[in-house]
Amino acid sequence: MCAGWRTPWALLVLVTAGWTGVVRGYPDGSPGNFCNRVPSGHGAAKHRGDNGFAIKVEGQPESYVPGEVYTVLITSTSPVQFRGFMLVSTAQEDETKPLGTFQLVDQEETKMTAGCPTAVTHKRSGLKQRVEFLWVAPEEGSGCVTFRATVVQSRLIWFMDDGALALTLCEENDVAVMPKMNEKKEVANCTACGAGKYRMTFYGLWSQHTHPNDYPKYGTHWSAIIGATHSKDYTIWEYGGYSTEGVKQVAEWGSPTKLEREMKEQGNKIRTVVKTDPQWPAYEPRNIKAPVSSDFGVDSEHHLLSFLTMLGPSPDWNVGLSNFDVCQGDQWLDRTEMDLYPWDAGTDSGITYESANSPTIPREKIRPITSQDPKNPASPWYNARGKSFPPVARIVIERTGIMDNGCHGKTSKDDEEDINIFSEELSKSEKKERKRNKDRNRGRDKGHDRHGHDHDSSRKLTKGDLTISMGTMAVNSTAIKIWWAPPSNVHSSILGYLVYYQEGQKLLGPNVLEIPDGETTQIVLGGLEPESPYTIRVVAYTMEQSNIQSEPAMVTTLPDTSMVDVPCLYSPWSEWSDCSVQCGKGVRKRNRGLKSLPSPMCTDELEQTEQCMGPRPSCDVEVLETPPEDLTAIPVEGLPTVVQLAWQPPEEAQGTIMDYFVFYIKENSTDWKTVQVPGDQLTLTLTDLVPGRSYYFRVQGRNALGVGPVSDPIIYNPKQAAEQQRKMQSPVWEQDLFGGEKDDKRTDMAVVDLNAAYEFEDYEIDEVQPDHKQHENDDEKKAIDCMVSDWSDWAPCSRSCGRKGGVQQRTRETKQKPKHGGETCPPRKETRRCNVGRKCPKHCKLGKWDAWSECTVTCGEGVQMRTRPVFREPKYGGRECSSTLQKRVCLREDC
């Protein structure tokens, strides 16, 4: 039985001497108990709702990490209070299955429930507005946990499980852990026959939805993909290596020109250069914009694929593959999909997407970016618990063909010609030979027309393998976009395609568009009827085959209204950008894109600008210049691994404090840990301390203009703090602090300060025992006075500047304790103020970057620039201003 609620009313103080009653078994009779949380003896039914009572988990996590410790609270909305409660944590779908364990924080007010070991309840029936507990999350694989509470407000009013009195947390899903991409693998020899033809398709996943932390509002893009298939004695980039100048230009500016030159200089080590167009914006749904792709070729010597593309805007962040082997022993890879995560090129030290240029000198090694590297809360990838973030891109590599090249006893000019038909070849002689072969094939047999068909053969197609993958999309009322992937089961070159289209549901009709180019994979079909369904099919033809075709697809053109008076389709306006200044008057912008095909008639504006006021109307307000104050560490009784930190806001907050960052580290360690706390919270409970080890704690504030200085560290030792707390609560202390026998004289006592635990000072109980504890024959012995050492030097000042300055201390040691009524010891510590009124350094304050200028050229490679204003020059030794001018390479069409 749980501690009974059935206590007679005469003995109740409104309700809450205990809890009911019945311990029920599991429905199937398996071991285990759960508590009946309905209070009995009240004569009143449960009230609906929660009446402002709520279960809360400190930090408001969206999920729990197995084995982690959380602070769980029951709170009320002022002025309402409650007298009793019971709290359990069980499986979401099974209230009889307890999950997680509670630990008491306040043993004067709370206790474990008798007979219900997985529940916690009140110990006293006094009015209260808040209780809290520590809760250890269950082991991995436990699933979702629901906290359920019963709260008794008065004799006739109680609530249970409704509204905010039930809270569910599910286990954090860390299955999709970031792969260890920096593991270097040995490249094996390739014995696959002939040569392979492949297509690589790149899908950008990086968006506001998938990576919301500090996601740029404007200018997101992927630079042009640049890479190659190559031999194993050449590496374009790799983890642990250093970026070449070509890789640096891609990583920082998105310019592929230099890297392409570097690759072509490798001669026979390169087979195919892999390139795509850049993608602006970085993410668009596939039904609006098809992903980019590139074809490439491999052989037994050049079977490695490497490429990279810049994630922009960013300091030097990229994604890509390094030395990916498409050869699997004696077989060519058929198909693979891979998620891509960002990596740092080691050439720029910026932390955020739009950090100012900060060259890394000397260059650092290329390394993966993770939620703990860089370990900086300002990084958009950072997660204090090390939780991985979703991939930013995905690639699909598919084989589109294999050329035998005679290794199975078959050699033909067709095969030799096919081997060299890839996205781009390095040898000019190979390109010329390819063109000669094509011309020769087209005129080889007078009995065939230019498509390779017999003159007397009909256009009717026989049923064949459906190997062409096709996509369609209506772009306006008279046009449809069609794109497709080349067939993968052909043994000779694709000479061209036939696009059949017919209004209605007929599979094939008289409307045929011929594309005499085997490398074209998308077209826009125009001149169609508005708001009409069309059936479309794509057919490929070679010298030998004409039955390679796609499945038919039906798509309907847009309504005629899209082309009547305004033949242009625009996306909705974006949200207004942030104001261009932090204070005073500035400008803000919004933009939209053209969704329909470009037309001279589409002249409506794509960008709008208006005036705005910065977050601060006046530019006189400054950044944070003082740290948070009075940082204190408070031990939790009975829990040596737990400490509660408390502090006060900075003396000069300069506006609303948005966040606090608490830093802590073990003694003799170099790995500072960081916890982010909301700006309206001035406490933090840490639960992962190691007893017996000393810790340093610091705290830093952040307002709208950025972070301020960090507080001076305090030192805390859990074991010593617990010992001092035990001494203060012992019977000897209690008697000494609150008086002895009536006739005894009071003596001066050294009051134990818990801060002693932070300063490693050892106090002895003998020092605080008053004179009446000495032996009865003290008067027969000679009195011995206390003796102390000389004062130590003054310690360094706690603050170097400020209106109130800081404090410094000096100490002295007790050389002889007083005995037999001798003079007591004088104070062993003195404190004084220091550096009062000294001016604090004022750092340079910069505004936001202006928009990028127009490119300096209309074709070829040029430069764009942007600047930012200086709001305040540095004073009193403050930090100098960083760069106010940035440049980047811009690429236009070839001249």
Side-chain angles (χ1 to χ4, degrees), residues 492-680:
S492 59
S493 301
I494 300 296
L495 300 179
Y497 295 93
L498 302 174
V499 178
Y500 290 87
Y501 62 100
Q502 175 67 39
E503 186 175 358
Q505 298 184 5
K506 298 179 181 178
L507 295 181
L508 292 175
N511 300 314
V512 181
L513 178 65
E514 296 185 0
I515 306 172
D517 180 3
E519 296 184 354
T520 298
T521 58
Q522 64 177 15
I523 62 167
V524 175
L525 195 63
L528 308 179
E529 291 296 321
E531 204 169 3
S532 298
Y534 282 85
T535 301
I536 298 172
R537 172 177 285 175
V538 174
V539 177
Y541 56 86
T542 69
M543 292 294 295
E544 301 170 354
Q545 295 174 284
S546 61
N547 62 341
I548 307 165
Q549 51 192 283
S550 71
E551 291 278 9
M554 178 170 286
V555 60
T556 301
T557 52
L558 298 178
D560 190 44
T561 54
S562 64
M563 289 295 289
V564 177
D565 294 324
V566 183
C568 305
L569 293 175
Y570 297 96
S571 65
W573 285 105
S574 67
E575 296 293 330
W576 286 103
S577 67
D578 293 335
C579 200
S580 60
V581 297
Q582 290 293 315
C583 59
K585 291 184 178 181
V587 294
R588 63 177 187 169
K589 299 179 181 179
R590 67 175 184 174
N591 55 28
R592 61 179 177 176
L594 181 64
K595 296 176 66 176
S596 58
L597 294 176
S599 168
M601 301 180 67
C602 299
T603 58
D604 291 351
E605 60 183 347
L606 299 179
E607 183 176 87
Q608 291 182 343
T609 303
E610 69 175 20
Q611 286 192 337
C612 59
M613 293 295 294
R616 293 176 292 116
S618 171
C619 293
D620 297 333
V621 179
E622 299 176 349
V623 297
L624 276 174
E625 295 182 348
T626 57
E629 300 183 339
D630 302 330
L631 177 59
T632 308
I634 306 167
V636 177
E637 181 181 358
L639 297 172
T641 64
V642 180
V643 66
Q644 186 177 48
L645 301 176
W647 61 88
Q648 293 299 313
E651 180 181 358
E652 301 174 7
Q654 300 291 359
T656 302
I657 299 296
M658 301 172 64
D659 301 284
Y660 290 101
F661 296 102
V662 177
F663 307 95
Y664 66 106
I665 191 174
K666 282 191 295 191
E667 190 176 26
N668 300 324
S669 174
T670 59
D671 185 17
W672 283 91
K673 296 185 178 180
T674 307
V675 180
Q676 188 172 355
V677 180
D680 58 354

Side-chain angles (χ1 to χ4, degrees), residues 158 197 268 274 293 318 345 375 407 441 501 549 613 636 724 739 785 795 837 849 873:
W158 60 280
K197 291 176 64 175
N268 292 332
V274 178
S293 62
N318 313 263
K375 196 165 188 176
C407 55
N441 288 336
Y501 62 100
Q549 51 192 283
M613 293 295 294
V636 177
Q724 295 303 323
D785 298 335
W849 289 102
E873 297 289 347

Side-chain angles (χ1 to χ4, degrees), residues 403-469:
M403 277 61 67
D404 197 313
N405 202 23
C407 55
H408 288 120
K410 173 187 174 183
T411 305
S412 71
K413 293 183 179 180
D414 289 345
D415 291 331
E416 293 172 359
E417 192 268 339
D418 279 341
I419 294 172
N420 292 316
I421 301 180
F422 300 118
S423 60
E424 180 175 338
E425 298 297 334
L426 301 177
S427 170
K428 292 183 180 180
S429 61
E430 286 180 342
K431 289 183 178 179
K432 292 180 180 179
E433 181 64 23
R434 170 189 167 186
K435 185 177 186 302
R436 283 196 297 269
N437 287 339
K438 278 190 174 181
D439 293 340
R440 187 162 52 246
N441 288 336
R442 287 172 180 169
R444 178 181 298 170
D445 190 346
K446 295 182 180 180
H448 292 75
D449 63 18
R450 63 190 181 93
H451 300 309
H453 298 141
D454 292 332
H455 289 299
D456 58 355
S457 65
S458 67
R459 283 290 187 180
K460 184 177 180 181
L461 300 175
T462 60
K463 185 176 181 181
D465 293 332
L466 304 176
T467 57
I468 298 180
S469 175

Side-chain angles (χ1 to χ4, degrees), residues 701-715:
R702 180 175 75 90
N703 64 6
L705 296 184
V707 295
V710 184
S711 68
D712 293 325
I714 64 169
I715 309 173

Side-chain angles (χ1 to χ4, degrees), residues 299-313:
D299 56 36
S300 59
E301 182 180 354
H302 309 88
H303 52 94
L304 300 180
L305 169 66
S306 299
F307 76 89
L308 67 152
T309 173
M310 180 195 75
L311 176 153

